[in-house]
Every structure is written in C-alpha cells, then in structure tokens.
C-alpha cells in the first residue's frame, strides 16, 4: 500500500471534513430549493463543491452514494429495473362536476356517521408524475414510478438529480423511521418547462405538450445527464409506509401532521396545502383556486380533497383503484379540437424551417389559438397531419400551442395531400439543407425571415419586452432595410419609422419611446434577447446569478459554464460557441456600445414575503424606478414580476406611455395603479418607505 503523501490530511480528517461538506451542501441546497432563502453567494457555494470534489478525488474510497457529487454525472443505467412498492400506490376518484364531489362528500358522511366532524385537507393536484421515494435508515435508497400501482420502474438515477430531494433525511426535529416510503409528485415548473421546450424548438426538435409529458419523458431516460439539464423538482404529499419502531410517525393521527413530518425531515411539501371543514368550503376553495390556476408556478389539473383524520380513512378503506377517502376535483383540460386550414413553412430565428398549421381559431383555456407548431417533417409525417384534418390542439405554459394528434374527421371529409417541405428558403431563396430531422436555411446572417424572427424574439415579453414590436412591425423594419441586425433597432428614430406603411407620427413616436425604454434592461433579459441557442429565462437567470455581468459571462469558457447550476455540457458548448462566433460578438459589442444599458445583476434573495403570491406587471416608464429596479424590488419582497398581463396578474403598475397592457388588464379585470398607487400598495404591505427610497434610482 503506498504511504500517504506527507501533506495529505489523514483519512480520518478527510472523512470528517467530507461529512461536514456534504451536510453543509445539503443544507444550502435546502435553503435554495425549498425555502427560497439562500444564505451564501453562488461563489461560496461553488467553493464548498470544489473542496468536496477535490477531497473525493484524493479519497475515492470515501465517496458514497449520498454525496451530492453523486447527484449528477452518475453512470447511465443499462435498462430500467422493476421494484415492488412498499404499499400499493392507488389512483384517485375524480370528476370536474360539482355534483360528483357532493356525492363523494355524502358517501363519506354516511360512512362516518352524520355527527362525525369532518375536516378535509386540500392540495393542488400537480400535473406531474407520481413517485415512491424510499429512505432506508434516513438515506435515499430508491425512487420508483407508480407503474401499475404495485410494481414500478426504478428511476433513482434521475430522481437523484433533483436539487430539492434530500439524499439524507433530517432527523434533527423528529426521529427518522428506519424504513420510510414517501409518495410525491415529480414535476417541472412552468418556467423551466418553457425553457426546455424553447431549447428543443431552437434545436429543431419537437417540444413536449405538457410539463407532465416532459417530466415523464425525462425520468425514464437511461442517462441521468439529460435529467440534470431539466430542472425537475418535487412535492411530497404522503407517507406510504413508515416501518416499525419509535419513528415519530406511528403516533400521528391527522394527515396535516404527516405533511408536517415530511417537512421536518426536509422533504418539500406544497405551501398551498390547507384544511377546510365542510363541502361548501371545499367548493368555495376550489372556485377560488381555479381563479388562481394561471398564477401558480406549476401546472395543476385540479384540487385533491383528502380526509384529514387517519383513523377515519382506515374505516373508509380503498377500492382496488382508489381510496374512498380522497377525491380529485378536476379543472377543464387545456386541450381543444380544431381544424387545419393550411400548412405553411416558417423560418425561425436559428434558421430552422418548421411546418406551421394555420387553424380555425379556437379558445383554449382563455387564449385564442390560430396557429400551432408542427415541429419538423419527421414529426409531421409520423402524425400524418394534412390540410383539412381535424386535430387535437394543446397548450401549456407559454409555449406555442401544439397539434398533438389527428382525430377522425367527419365522414367523407376531404384530406389534403401530405405537406412537402420547400427546397428553397421561402424568405431568401437559399437552398435548404437537412440537419438530422430538421430542415435549415443556412443563410444565418442574410436571411430576412431569420432577422425578423430574431427581432420579434428580442421584443418579446421574456426578452426586452418592446411594446408594439410584433411580427408585422419587425417585418416592415427588416424589409425596409432599417434593421439588418439587432443593434440597428436602437438607432431608429421616429422619423425613420414614420416612413413605414401603416405608421403615422404618433405611432412612430410610440415605437421609438418603447425601444428607448426597453434599452435599459437587466442581464437575464438581455441574454434572452440575444437569442443564444438553449438560453431561455431560467437559464439566463442562472447565468446572471453566477456571472453578474454580460462581460464576465462572455469571458467564461465552456468548462466554467458547465459548472453553473442547471447547465450541462451541451448548453455550455452552445453558449460558448455563440459568443465565439465573430458575427455574434459584433452584434453584442454594438448592442453594448451605448445602445443597450444593462444593469449589473444583483444576487437577491427575497428579503421578505410582503408580496408573496402577488404577480405584478410594469408597463410604461416609471419616474422613480427603472423597470429592472422595480422588478428586482418585487422579487426582493417575495413577489413575481411578469412581462405580460394574464389571469395570473394581481396588479398592473402603469407609468407614462403605457400601452396595450392596460387594455388587456381591463379585459381581464386586473386592477391598474399608477406609480403613486404602487408606492401606496407597497406601504400597505408593510414595506418601509425609507427602504423604498434607497431602492429607487
Ligand atoms: S393523492 C391515494 N395528492 O394525481 C392517494 N395525488 O389522479 C392518491 N397527484 O397518481 C394520490 N398531486 O400522481 C395526490 N397532492 C396530490 C397530488 C396527486 C398530483 C396525482 C398523482 C396521482 C394522480 C391521481
């Protein structure tokens, strides 16, 4: 045996330090992922990781499966193994109808006796994937899909990548049972879902129709590297089995206590969970919840009603399919049937040419849909969608609605011929090339359609949010030769714009003002605006948090980028490759050369929860704040600042020259205040006016 290097710390010390590092990292993961309250900077967190990796490299014999280093980068598995659940994982009885829920309530009351006091636990029904998480002696042992309810597939290699999953349970507040089986839902938050889809679309791949499909498609992959790039998360909502012994669980009598125990052990539980005392209260809560459906950060498909009293649950028992003590009240699905009127080829900002279905307009969950993406020719021919077909259209998150499948049309309905991709770019005439399943216009910097798509993307609400810079205006600007590349937008004057068809003095001045206002922005918005492949809002935020400024990010090599939370090798290479291309570098240089002003990113942890649950939208110019400062303030106060008005919005703050967002707010009945109203609103929430003054710029 080689003798240890004289500088090498003795093994016992290394073991002790590794244990410390693991528990420190686990604690910071919990603060970051579950409590949304990080205590240390990303650099300090990186330093802990660095030390852990170094020490593990020197002592490979001390690496154990609970080390956070084993979350990602685990080896791919050869195939998915099966495992029996420790207790059956049943489904839920469900309906969208109030009468069906009332019958459930009546059955429960009949079974428990009319005098029984009934308390229901209400929980959002997360549209994700049900999993069993097994902990042995407090350590994460495996994760198993629901499967047929008795036997599922082992997906531990992917579930391990979930930052919110404790690899070791916390026994500090309550003893951890020797064997614990927890049921929960693995899901993808909407923002991450949109990001992943955005990435897939930019690579010419078919996006997923719902966060559920994406979560399901991810956890069953063999290589965990893929899951590590898709930020799955989870909520735990039940204990399936808690072994024997003094575990602090056997004594529990109410579901609410079970949820508390899960949280004590460090498992994430949904803060929306609550108790109500009557069927009427359940229904009122369901209706209020339906109103807030769009405001949640994740997709929900209903509300689960569960009896809180565990002894009463046992008396009611189960059917083979579902427990008799729980019921899901469902929301209407975000799917509709429509008809394909035409299929056209559309050139995206990365040159990928995709077939797009023009649909008979249809309302899906409050949004009128007239176009849907058909992705690429392989996907199109697999689904065999043609003009005239009746199709199912689905939308989730903010992604372009999608044609999910073809349905049987009316008898005798005419079907068009199969769609054929054009051979030349419909915009610039360049011969199209095949890149895997995608058809691409290779004329990246000369194709007007790509320039238009990049401009529309830069103006979109997730990027610089330029009011009035839609498809039509972008096309006019590019066709008139006023905008050849993105920086030209910021050199426009109202006089230039006024010469365009359909513009007059007032509308031209408005566009100029909107561009000027959008030119003061934040690092994440700027990064999204650049249209870097793979970079949507969540990735842009992670990059901004890590690098602070665009310059620092540009200077980072692929290896450094790959070390950022949630960014894997493929993304890192795409980002580094983007900045390395001299034509992109020129665009970035010109943008930063006085055209766009990017505020350095302040790493903010919410300092309070004064605005928890609030989603604010700022429109027009404020006198006392830049848009970025106002948005950062909202984040610091625990709220959300969004780019567009939706049913999720709780308040619109309108500054000077506010535009169409006001009409949308009026249409949706969202309250609108001016800047003074905003300050009054903050003070009403207990925000200190002195702090506000410091915030204002
Ligand atoms: S309770 C026996 N609670 O809904 C109890 N399920 O349609 C059954 N789901 O397979 C599950 N959120 O994947 C429960 N808070 C929640 C849930 C939830 C989502 C899913 C779960 C289940 C499906 C049943």
């Amino acid at each position: 045996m080689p003798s240890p290097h004289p500088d090498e710390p003795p093994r016992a010390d290394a073991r002790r330090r590794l244990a410390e590092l693991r528990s420190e990292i686990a604690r910071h993961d919990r603060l970051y992922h579950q409590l949304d309250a990080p205590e240390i900077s990303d650099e300090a967190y990186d330093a802990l990781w660095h030390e852990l990796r170094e020490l593990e490299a020197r002592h490979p014999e001390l690496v154990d499966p609970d080390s956070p280093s084993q979350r990602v980068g685990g080896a791919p598995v050869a195939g998915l193994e099966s495992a029996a659940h420790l207790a059956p994982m049943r489904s839920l009885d469900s309906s969208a109808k109030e009468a069906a829920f009332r019958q459930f309530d009546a059955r429960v009351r009949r079974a428990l006796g009319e005098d029984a006091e009934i308390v229901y636990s209400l929980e959002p029904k997360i549209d994700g994937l049900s999993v069993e998480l097994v902990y042995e002696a407090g350590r994460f042992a495996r994760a198993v899909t629901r499967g047929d309810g008795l036997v599922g597939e082992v997906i531990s290699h992917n579930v391990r990548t979930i930052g919110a999953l404790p690899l070791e349970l916390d026994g500090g507040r309550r003893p951890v049972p020797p064997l614990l089986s927890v049921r929960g839902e693995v899901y993808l938050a909407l923002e991450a879902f949109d990001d992943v889809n955005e990435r897939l679309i930019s690579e010419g791949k078919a996006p997923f129709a719902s966060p559920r499909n994406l979560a399901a498609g991810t956890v069953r992959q063999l290589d965990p590297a893929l899951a590590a790039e898709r930020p799955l998360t989870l909520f735990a909502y039940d204990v399936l089995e808690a072994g024997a012994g003094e575990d602090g669980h056997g004594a529990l009598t109410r579901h609410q206590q079970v949820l508390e125990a899960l949280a004590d052990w460090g498992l994430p539980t949904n803060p929306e969970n609550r108790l109500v005392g009557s069927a009427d209260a359940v229904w009122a809560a369901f209706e209020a919840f339906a109103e807030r459906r769009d405001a949640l950060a994740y997709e929900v498909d209903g509300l689960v009603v569960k009896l809180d009293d565990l002894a009463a649950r046992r008396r009611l028992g189960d059917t083979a399919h579902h427990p008799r003590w729980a019921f899901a009240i469902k929301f209407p699905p975000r799917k509709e049937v429509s008809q394909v009127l035409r299929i056209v080829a559309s050139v995206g900002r990365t040159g990928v040419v995709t077939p797009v279905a023009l649909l008979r307009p249809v309302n899906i969950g409050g949004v009128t849909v007239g176009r849907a993406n058909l992705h690429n020719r392989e996907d199109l021919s697999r689904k065999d969608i043609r003009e005239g077909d009746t199709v199912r259209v689905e939308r989730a998150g903010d992604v372009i609605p999608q044609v999910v499948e073809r349905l049987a049309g009316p008898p005798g309905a005419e079907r068009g011929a199969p769609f054929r991709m054009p051979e030349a770019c419909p915009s610039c005439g360049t011969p199209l090339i095949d890149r895997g399943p995608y058809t691409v216009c290779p004329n990246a910097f000369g194709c007007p359609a790509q320039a238009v798509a990049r401009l529309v993307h830069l103006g979109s609400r997730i990027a610089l949010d330029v009011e009035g810079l839609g498809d039509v205006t972008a096309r006019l600007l590019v066709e008139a030769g006023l905008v050849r590349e993105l920086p030209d937008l910021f050199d426009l004057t109202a006089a230039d714009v006024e010469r365009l068809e359909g513009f007059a003095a007032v509308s031209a001045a408005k566009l100029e003002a909107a561009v000027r206002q959008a030119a003061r922005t934040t690092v994440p918005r700027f990064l999204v605006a650049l249209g870097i492949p793979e970079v949507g809002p969540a990735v842009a935020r992670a990059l901004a948090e890590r690098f602070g400024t665009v310059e620092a990010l540009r200077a980072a090599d692929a290896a450094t980028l790959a070390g950022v939370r949630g960014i894997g090798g493929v993304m890192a290479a795409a980002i580094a490759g983007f900045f390395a291309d001299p034509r992109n570098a020129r665009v970035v240089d010109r943008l930063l050369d006085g055209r766009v002003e990017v505020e350095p990113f302040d790493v903010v942890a919410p300092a309070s929860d004064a605005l928890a649950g609030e989603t604010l939208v700022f429109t027009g110019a404020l006198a006392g704040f830049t848009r970025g400062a106002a948005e950062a303030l909202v984040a610091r106060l625990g709220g959300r600042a969004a780019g567009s008005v939706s049913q999720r919005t709780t308040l619109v703050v309108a500054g000077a020259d506010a535009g169409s967002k006001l009409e949308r707010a009026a249409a949706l009945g969202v309250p609108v205040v001016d800047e003074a109203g905003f300050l009054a609103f903050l003070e009403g929430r207990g925000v200190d006016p002195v702090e506000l003054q410091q915030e204002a710029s």
Side-chain angles (χ1 to χ4, degrees):
M1 205 172 127
S3 59
H5 190 277
D7 295 340
E8 204 91 313
R11 234 167 71 131
D13 285 359
R15 190 191 300 278
R16 199 169 318 120
R17 181 61 187 150
L18 271 174
E20 268 169 30
L21 287 167
R22 283 172 196 157
S23 83
E24 265 300 272
I25 290 174
R27 191 170 76 82
H28 290 299
D29 279 345
R30 177 150 192 255
L31 287 166
Y32 180 90
H33 289 287
Q34 285 167 48
L35 307 175
D36 219 358
E39 274 177 9
I40 57 173
S41 69
D42 273 22
E43 283 76 10
Y45 178 83
D46 288 351
L48 293 175
W49 265 94
H50 185 76
E51 191 185 343
L52 176 86
R53 283 207 202 89
E54 290 240 298
L55 212 48
E56 287 187 343
R58 269 192 274 142
H59 295 279
E61 74 285 2
L62 296 180
V63 178
D64 83 6
D66 290 340
S67 169
S69 66
Q70 302 306 297
R71 276 190 193 278
V72 282
V77 297
L80 297 183
E81 284 174 16
S82 299
H85 298 300
L86 292 182
M89 288 176 77
R90 290 184 218 286
S91 193
L92 284 171
D93 188 9
S94 67
S95 170
K97 298 203 179 76
E98 180 174 356
F101 161 68
R102 298 276 179 185
Q103 279 162 15
F104 159 79
D105 174 64
R107 275 198 305 275
V108 168
R109 282 173 200 279
R110 219 175 304 123
L112 297 179
E114 293 302 323
D115 303 334
E117 196 205 335
I118 287 182
V119 176
Y120 289 120
S121 169
L122 303 186
E123 301 170 14
K125 186 168 183 302
I126 312 289
D127 198 12
L129 197 85
S130 209
V131 288
E132 178 193 31
L133 306 169
V134 178
Y135 286 86
E136 288 169 1
R139 304 175 125 201
F140 174 65
R142 63 182 177 274
V144 188
T145 63
R146 194 172 92 86
D148 65 2
L150 299 174
V151 175
E153 287 171 314
V154 179
I155 51 167
S156 319
H157 58 300
N158 291 322
V159 171
R160 239 176 226 294
T161 68
I162 300 178
L165 174 93
L167 295 175
E168 205 158 356
L169 295 177
D170 184 346
R173 279 171 290 268
R174 177 191 301 258
V176 173
L179 179 66
L180 179 70
S181 158
V182 171
R183 182 165 182 177
E185 199 81 356
V186 168
Y187 69 97
L188 212 72
L190 281 170
E191 197 172 83
F193 168 70
D194 286 342
D195 252 27
V196 173
N197 266 349
E198 164 96 11
R199 238 191 292 145
L200 291 170
I201 292 168
S202 83
E203 294 164 12
K205 296 181 189 154
F208 287 87
S210 68
R212 198 198 122 72
N213 294 354
L214 182 43
T218 304
V219 297
R220 298 191 67 260
Q221 295 284 333
L222 300 181
D223 186 352
L226 191 83
E229 288 205 341
R230 295 180 178 170
L232 295 167
T233 184
L234 71 92
F235 280 129
Y237 52 72
D238 209 354
V239 168
L240 283 170
E241 167 71 45
E246 264 313 300
D247 53 29
H249 173 264
L252 304 186
T253 59
R254 314 206 71 96
H255 182 61
Q256 211 60 23
Q257 296 166 334
V258 173
L259 294 175
E260 280 162 22
L262 291 170
D264 282 349
W265 292 323
L267 285 153
T269 55
N270 194 328
E272 297 278 342
N273 296 343
R274 60 204 198 83
L275 297 175
V276 298
S278 70
D280 286 343
V282 170
W283 196 257
F286 172 72
E287 288 184 327
F289 188 56
E291 288 280 302
R292 290 175 45 230
R293 178 184 189 182
D294 287 335
L296 297 169
Y298 40 82
E299 182 78 334
V300 281
D301 54 357
L303 192 68
V304 188
V305 184
K306 302 175 183 175
L307 209 52
D308 189 49
D309 182 338
L310 302 183
R313 284 187 181 189
R314 282 190 288 276
R315 258 181 283 147
L316 280 159
D318 309 287
T319 72
H321 173 262
H322 60 260
R324 292 201 182 84
W325 43 260
F327 191 86
I329 316 177
K330 303 255 259 188
F331 288 141
R334 299 199 206 257
K335 295 180 190 165
E336 263 315 326
V337 173
S338 181
Q339 196 192 10
V340 178
L341 302 176
R342 273 182 64 205
I343 300 179
V344 296
S346 159
V347 187
R349 65 174 204 271
T350 55
V352 175
V353 183
T354 48
V356 169
L358 305 184
L359 303 168
R360 188 177 301 291
V362 57
N363 186 303
I364 308 183
V367 173
T368 303
V369 172
R371 283 165 78 93
N373 206 326
L374 294 165
H375 316 309
N376 56 46
R377 51 176 200 285
E378 279 182 8
D379 194 47
L380 182 59
S381 68
R382 189 168 46 78
K383 291 179 184 156
D384 187 24
I385 310 274
R386 304 187 201 172
E387 293 182 353
D389 284 350
T390 301
V391 290
R392 188 189 310 287
V393 186
E394 203 167 320
R395 70 168 258 274
D398 292 327
V399 168
I400 313 153
Q402 303 180 50
V403 173
V404 184
E405 59 176 341
R406 177 163 68 86
L407 303 173
E414 290 266 328
R415 291 194 74 197
F419 176 76
R420 282 176 56 94
M421 274 289 185
E423 310 222 312
C425 173
S427 175
C428 67
T430 305
L432 298 179
I433 57 171
D434 285 347
R435 211 180 276 159
Y438 330 118
T439 307
V440 178
C441 166
N443 183 18
F445 283 80
C447 173
Q450 292 182 50
V452 169
R454 279 197 291 268
L455 196 54
V456 170
H457 177 75
L458 172 137
S460 69
R461 56 167 200 82
I462 57 170
L464 297 191
D465 194 12
V466 184
E467 176 92 31
L469 181 59
D471 208 49
V472 176
T473 302
R475 194 174 309 234
L476 286 171
L477 290 169
V478 171
E479 280 170 5
L482 287 172
V483 177
R484 284 176 215 280
E485 44 178 40
L486 297 177
D488 302 335
L489 177 71
F490 301 92
D491 296 338
L492 284 180
T493 63
D496 295 330
V497 178
E498 206 181 321
R499 292 205 305 273
L500 297 176
E501 193 190 314
F503 274 89
V506 174
S507 49
K510 264 197 174 164
L511 183 64
E512 193 202 85
V515 169
R516 199 163 324 118
Q517 195 189 317
R520 291 182 82 180
T521 191
T522 61
V523 179
R525 284 182 176 279
F526 183 78
L527 295 178
V528 173
L530 291 179
I532 308 168
E534 316 268 335
V535 178
V539 171
R541 179 142 0 85
L543 291 169
E545 280 176 7
R546 174 67 180 75
F547 295 101
T549 64
V550 180
E551 285 75 12
L553 167 63
R554 283 177 88 176
D557 58 14
T560 311
L561 290 165
V564 177
R565 258 192 261 239
I567 294 185
V570 176
M571 265 193 247
I575 298 164
F578 176 89
F579 287 113
D581 183 327
R583 292 170 304 185
N584 291 327
R586 197 182 109 86
V587 167
V588 179
D589 286 340
R590 287 189 62 216
L591 285 170
L592 294 179
D593 184 18
R595 291 181 174 83
V596 175
E597 192 190 319
V598 188
E599 296 161 26
F601 192 80
D602 234 358
V603 183
V604 285
S608 83
D609 59 359
L611 298 189
E614 302 283 352
T615 299
L616 278 73
V617 171
F618 294 92
T619 176
L622 301 180
F625 299 86
T626 63
R627 174 88 60 94
E631 290 180 354
L633 174 64
V634 170
R636 208 183 324 264
L637 297 173
R640 234 175 75 89
S644 70
V645 181
S646 70
Q647 281 154 329
R648 301 179 202 192
T649 314
T650 48
L651 186 70
V652 171
V653 181
D657 290 328
S660 62
K661 287 178 189 164
L662 293 185
E663 287 153 36
R664 185 149 166 78
L668 291 173
V670 176
V672 178
V673 295
D674 60 9
E675 193 165 344
F678 173 53
L679 295 176
F681 168 79
L682 292 178
E683 283 173 33
R685 299 294 168 108
V687 179
D688 181 359
V690 177
E691 191 189 328
L692 277 178
Q693 254 160 25
Q694 286 165 355
E695 206 71 48
S697 51

